[in-house]
Amino acid sequence: MEERDILAPVDAALKLFAVNDAATQAASRKLMVKALRNLEREPSNEKFRKLRVANKVVQAKIINVRGAQQLMACGGFYNKGEFLEALGEDCAVKAKTVADALEKSDGTFKVKALLAHAACVRGVAVDAQGFLATGALDNVVRLWDGKGQLVHELRGHEKPAMADGGVLAVALMENGGRVLSGGRDGRLLAFFERCVGGELLRGPRRAD
């Protein structure tokens, strides 16, 4: 079964699930995601394929919660009386789809990438394509792709006399082709990219 075939009933179940109060949703979501992720990772493990219906936690957080049983059914767990039981060869795909949907619907943010810097970051900019620029107190402007991979390090700011240096602000223009940065050295720099003879050439030069 394709993921898109699962999403329509999942959306309907999520709307029903949303009528519960926030605390009930949070507790139920946590248990469902745990069970679904276990099934996704180890679909052949029998201990992850059944949830006992009479269990007090399962009763309180799934059986008696509106929309929860429907979500579990979308994720491959069907109520067979004594157990919520994972059925079908595609249960791992279903479990992943519903777990992803539950995590996206909880209103919180997840960390996608950690962009490591050697010094304190004082400026961040992002364009419509997810390209990022950061400026740090080590006087370096760094460019990152949408996956959090470092693409370039741009240098040009200097440590001023009798004071600490650092890039304090950055801006992106033209989809990452031009980067503006302001530093504690009192300079506004414009970094340009262009390809000449197969080599990538960069500024900096003062912005007028």
Side-chain angles (χ1 to χ4, degrees), residues 124-128 130-134 141-144 170-180:
V124 178
V126 61
D127 69 9
F131 201 82
L132 293 115
T134 58
V141 176
R142 292 174 174 84
L143 303 183
W144 312 80
V170 291
L172 277 170
M173 302 175 65
E174 300 173 3
N175 298 328
R178 182 180 183 185
V179 185
L180 303 178

Side-chain angles (χ1 to χ4, degrees), residues 40-202:
E40 174 196 350
R41 288 189 291 267
E42 298 184 49
S44 61
N45 191 330
E46 285 299 320
K47 74 177 182 179
F48 294 146
R49 296 183 67 90
K50 291 182 179 181
L51 297 174
R52 188 176 295 277
V53 170
N55 181 281
K56 291 182 179 180
V57 175
V58 174
Q59 280 281 331
K61 298 182 179 181
I62 296 178
I63 303 302
N64 296 330
V65 177
R66 293 190 66 184
Q69 284 197 73
Q70 289 87 337
L71 283 165
M72 292 298 283
C74 291
F77 282 95
Y78 297 92
N79 193 329
K80 306 303 288 183
E82 185 178 358
F83 295 99
L84 292 178
E85 187 173 348
L87 302 174
E89 296 181 357
D90 58 352
C91 60
V93 174
K94 292 180 177 180
K96 179 183 185 308
T97 300
V98 177
D100 288 347
L102 280 166
E103 289 181 339
K104 290 177 182 177
S105 71
D106 71 355
T108 62
F109 293 90
K110 304 295 186 299
V111 175
K112 182 178 180 181
L114 296 176
L115 312 182
H117 294 73
C120 177
V121 177
R122 295 300 300 271
V124 178
V126 61
D127 69 9
Q129 283 69 43
F131 201 82
L132 293 115
T134 58
L137 293 186
D138 58 3
N139 289 318
V140 179
V141 176
R142 292 174 174 84
L143 303 183
W144 312 80
D145 64 20
K147 297 180 180 179
Q149 299 297 313
L150 181 63
V151 178
H152 298 300
E153 290 188 344
L154 308 179
R155 303 176 187 272
H157 286 285
E158 301 172 354
K159 182 180 182 297
M162 306 300 292
D164 292 331
V167 178
L168 303 181
V170 291
L172 277 170
M173 302 175 65
E174 300 173 3
N175 298 328
R178 182 180 183 185
V179 185
L180 303 178
S181 64
R184 191 167 281 165
D185 56 2
R187 302 175 70 195
L188 174 62
L189 301 182
F191 295 89
F192 297 87
E193 289 186 352
R194 65 185 187 277
C195 286
V196 178
E199 295 183 2
L200 188 64
L201 305 180
R202 294 184 291 277

Side-chain angles (χ1 to χ4, degrees), residues 27-38:
S28 179
R29 180 183 290 109
K30 183 177 180 180
L31 178 60
M32 288 193 290
V33 169
K34 180 180 179 181
L36 292 164
R37 291 298 187 204
N38 285 340

